[in-house]
Amino acid sequence: GGGSNCLQKADLPNYSWPRPAHAARASPPRRNKQRHQAAMGAAGSQGPIGDICLYVVTQICQQAFKATNTPVPDHPAYDEPAPAAGGGGNVFVLILALDYKATSNPLTCSIDGRNMEQLIGACGVPQQNITAMYDEQCTKENVEQAVEQIGSQCGPGDFFVYYYSGHGTNLADQSGDEADGQDEAFCFVTPDGQVNFDSCMSDDDFSHLMTENLDEEVNVLILTDCCHSGTIADFNSGDWSGRKAISIAGCQDEQTSGDIGKGGIFTHSMLLAIGSLAENGEDDYSVGKLYNETLEKDDDVFDSKQEITLQTAPGFKPNAMPWPLIPQGGWQPPLQGYS
């Protein structure tokens, strides 16, 4: 059955889980593809509309770029391809997937984690560069240690992919940096598999953890298949300014993210997108292009109401980073038949 990757903040620490139904998700209007394609074309054209868009882009260039269910610039704007396509650097991956088996509303996120492991293995990433943690392994303290350890191995030009599939929640904003008065948070667990306030990691703490442990020249890619995750990387904080970082989240901050009983909608859409690009012979493309293809797969296969969101660190662009997870052959997405 379906489910929602959401934990209500009002129920922490003595929480109760939301009912496992897609109807629990927010229901924003679906985007009109033709309208957005026309808008993208107009934005890139000469004339008054193009001039206005150029002015707006200039004004926000030092803010975090954000796109929600809208195609982004995807033509490569980087100097060197990803390692799998002949570029330099190494790829390091941290996979965090929780099923919450000890709670009253479990998910199927371990399926997502294993699917990601299979993809990454097909991408030629050395096994020693892959850290996969599941369920009770994913305490906040263990995650902090994992990021610190991986960060100590990452150097300039390397890639660090942080992948999380699990519950997300909102907490009261502690730093005053959230317009809605709420921090987004990862729902990690206690050693016995429970979730409480202390086991959760707020976006402020996550931002500090990442920026404190990663060199400024590391390419950071944050993938989150959980509720309330649109700005969970907290890129608008000063910590991320000038860094090469992009996040893709399964939904917006106020939305829930769907679990289809065989993993998450966002993760499956992303895997289908990677498979489609591979079928077309694409072996060097930007994160922006992968995002655009993921939107199409979400529409075509799931027609979901969650709005997949891309955000960049201030001053960075969606097409300024090559997508680092390029399968070398013999890999197919789990839902290949649905693409």
Side-chain angles (χ1 to χ4, degrees):
S4 167
N5 296 16
C6 175
L7 178 63
Q8 301 300 323
K9 69 181 178 65
D11 296 321
L12 288 170
N14 297 314
Y15 58 88
S16 60
W17 298 93
R19 64 185 183 276
H22 289 306
R25 296 201 305 264
S27 301
R30 297 298 297 159
R31 72 182 187 279
N32 181 296
K33 293 181 186 176
Q34 289 74 28
R35 182 178 70 245
H36 282 288
Q37 289 168 354
M40 289 294 288
S45 63
Q46 300 297 318
I49 294 178
D51 293 341
I52 292 172
C53 289
L54 179 61
Y55 171 78
V56 172
V57 169
T58 302
Q59 295 303 305
I60 66 172
C61 66
Q62 293 308 312
Q63 298 179 12
F65 174 96
K66 181 180 177 182
T68 299
N69 259 7
T70 304
V72 300
D74 61 9
H75 185 74
Y78 44 83
D79 296 327
E80 191 174 23
N90 299 296
V91 178
F92 297 87
V93 184
L94 176 60
I95 296 171
L96 306 169
L98 299 91
D99 285 342
Y100 306 95
K101 297 173 184 176
T103 73
S104 59
N105 191 350
L107 296 174
T108 60
C109 298
S110 62
I111 295 177
D112 288 330
R114 289 193 294 271
N115 286 338
M116 289 297 293
E117 283 197 79
Q118 291 175 2
L119 164 67
I120 294 161
C123 294
V125 178
Q127 190 61 42
Q128 65 266 27
N129 290 7
I130 305 170
T131 302
M133 298 165 58
Y134 292 89
D135 299 318
E136 284 73 25
Q137 295 175 329
C138 299
T139 66
K140 183 164 66 174
E141 293 74 19
N142 286 349
V143 172
E144 290 171 347
Q145 291 175 9
V147 172
E148 290 169 3
Q149 181 177 6
I150 297 170
S152 69
Q153 302 175 62
C154 292
D158 287 341
F159 290 78
F160 177 34
V161 181
Y162 175 100
Y163 172 84
Y164 174 84
S165 181
H167 279 296
T169 192
N170 287 326
L171 303 174
D173 179 18
Q174 299 296 315
S175 62
D177 66 339
E178 300 284 353
D180 60 1
Q182 295 182 325
D183 282 332
E184 290 66 54
F186 297 101
C187 293
F188 297 125
V189 294
T190 62
D192 60 352
Q194 299 299 313
V195 180
N196 60 36
F197 182 85
D198 291 331
S199 74
C200 294
M201 181 184 290
S202 72
D203 53 4
D204 292 341
D205 290 341
F206 174 71
S207 175
H208 182 74
L209 174 68
M210 295 287 281
T211 56
E212 280 292 302
N213 289 286
L214 292 168
D215 186 276
E216 291 187 359
E217 292 301 314
V218 172
N219 297 285
V220 181
L221 181 60
I222 300 167
L223 308 171
T224 55
D225 199 342
C226 62
C227 299
H228 312 301
S229 56
T231 63
I232 204 165
D234 205 23
F235 281 154
N236 279 316
S237 73
D239 294 341
W240 289 100
S241 183
R243 288 181 176 265
K244 302 174 181 179
I246 302 176
S247 73
I248 305 179
C251 63
Q252 296 199 73
D253 290 346
E254 70 275 12
Q255 290 182 318
T256 58
S257 188
D259 184 310
I260 63 172
K262 298 180 181 179
I265 289 175
F266 162 59
T267 297
H268 277 300
S269 298
M270 178 177 66
L271 295 173
L272 286 168
I274 295 170
S276 177
L277 290 167
E279 277 190 350
N280 293 334
E282 300 268 7
D283 61 1
D284 177 23
Y285 50 88
S286 69
V287 174
K289 184 163 188 175
L290 185 280
Y291 171 75
N292 290 344
E293 187 72 18
T294 299
L295 295 184
E296 295 302 317
K297 295 304 180 185
D298 177 41
D299 267 0
D300 295 344
V301 177
F302 300 105
D303 193 29
S304 75
K305 291 171 179 160
Q306 64 195 63
E307 297 186 301
I308 299 173
T309 300
L310 178 145
Q311 192 176 22
T312 73
F316 203 58
K317 299 176 182 178
N319 56 341
M321 182 188 297
W323 177 256
L325 303 178
I326 308 293
Q328 303 301 295
W331 174 87
Q332 286 189 335
L335 299 185
Q336 176 68 25
Y338 294 90
S339 62

